[in-house]
Amino acid sequence: MSVNLLDFDAKALAGFCAEIDERPFRARQLLRWIHRSGESDFTAMSDLAKGLRDKLSATAVIEPPRVMSDHFAADGTRKWLLSVGAGNGIETVFIPETNRGTLCISSQVGCALACSFCSTGRQGFNRNLTVAEIIGQLWWANKALAEESEGQSERHRAITNVVMMGMGEPLANFENVVTALNLMLDDNAYGLSRRRVTVSTSGLVPAMDRLRERCPVALAVSLHAPNDPLRDQLVPINRKYPLRELLAACERYLQSAPRDFITFEYVMLDGVNDSVAHARELVQLVRHTPCKFNLIPFNSFPNSGYKRSSPEAVSRFRDLLMEAGLVTTVRKTRGDDIAAACGQLAGKVFDKTRRESRGLMKMAR
Ligand code: SAH
Ligand code: SF4
């Protein structure tokens, strides 16, 4: 069976080249063709000898997930639905801003961590994405955006930032995510800065430590509550890794992190975690942790059982954090007319899968 070269980072490609009796610099050439030029056809790789091209065609493929649809939102946000087989789809969202372009990518089909306010969590867990499926999201988006900007300056780079904030818990798919991160950072592939690649986690403490050792990139932690009883309800993994342990892991992470703060995400749920008392408790909780806050107004989905906090409650909460010296931003809701906002990904397409994955989740428990 052919291997998919999109599954390989530089090290793995070098290993592959050794296996087919090719010199190591071929790995660098291949990396550039695949990721920089977005080429999936070996015969087009003009600086590779004909013999090598034939050998590659016989043993390997470059196979990204298939694009099923491509949507544009009124605010410029763009969303791709990619097929990953067996009726499963994953979504990738591009968010253009004045000085940067951020791609939000997924790491799993569904998620086993079952946060109560998250539509991905409600679907249950189906499977981990392969490296090709994770990096394939960046591969496609890069290609599509390059085509869109054709005619503009050659140096124009649409994607400056990647956030692993799509579907799934990246640290629960650790090895594949780290290999994909290596490609994002590799100068022969996407060449992104460590500070501009962010992994968002709900708080898998041992995996946070491993990420710090293996591939320290910017870290966002989904906090969502100022105390254990409330966080136990909203983010059930808290029962395993409670706040004290989570904050200690954040402080350890900062010793190797490319940024000198952790970003805490905090979803604003009306009447649940958005009171003045919650804000005060939160300030106390993080008093020893260098951090910034990103408040995310809840994005609703059918039968969620939650409501978005009022704009007044969000501003009041933000002001209380700011007065305590914590840099706080409120996330603008982007692309909600195409269901591309946080927690809204993969709505209707999953109706069938959703029922099936419930069973899978029970099995996984
Ligand atoms: N599993 C990771 C990353 C994916 S979710 C994590 O939980 O951090 C990315 C962010 O969106 C997380 O902070 C998550 O809590 C938040 N989120 C999930 N559902 C949401 C919703 N319905 N509205 C607003 N934010 C949501
Ligand atoms: Fe999984 Fe993150 Fe959703 Fe929680 S918020 S269920 S960890 S994707």
Side-chain angles (χ1 to χ4, degrees), residues 108 110-115 117-122 166-169 202 222 224 235:
Q108 298 182 309
C111 181
L113 298 185
C115 300
F117 52 86
C118 171
S119 83
T120 306
R122 291 277 178 98
M167 296 163 59
E169 166 55 49
S202 56
S222 293
H224 305 321
V235 185

Side-chain angles (χ1 to χ4, degrees), residues 83-119:
S83 161
V84 291
N88 286 313
I90 47 165
E91 288 176 319
T92 306
V93 180
F94 177 67
I95 306 150
E97 287 171 283
T98 323
N99 298 321
R100 61 180 178 190
T102 304
L103 191 71
C104 177
I105 70 182
S106 300
S107 55
Q108 298 182 309
V109 182
C111 181
L113 298 185
C115 300
S116 58
F117 52 86
C118 171
S119 83

Side-chain angles (χ1 to χ4, degrees), residues 225-236 238-239 242-243 281:
N227 59 57
D228 283 321
L230 182 55
R231 196 164 189 269
D232 283 349
Q233 281 174 36
L234 300 177
V235 185
N238 194 67
R239 297 172 202 158
L243 284 167
E281 202 179 356

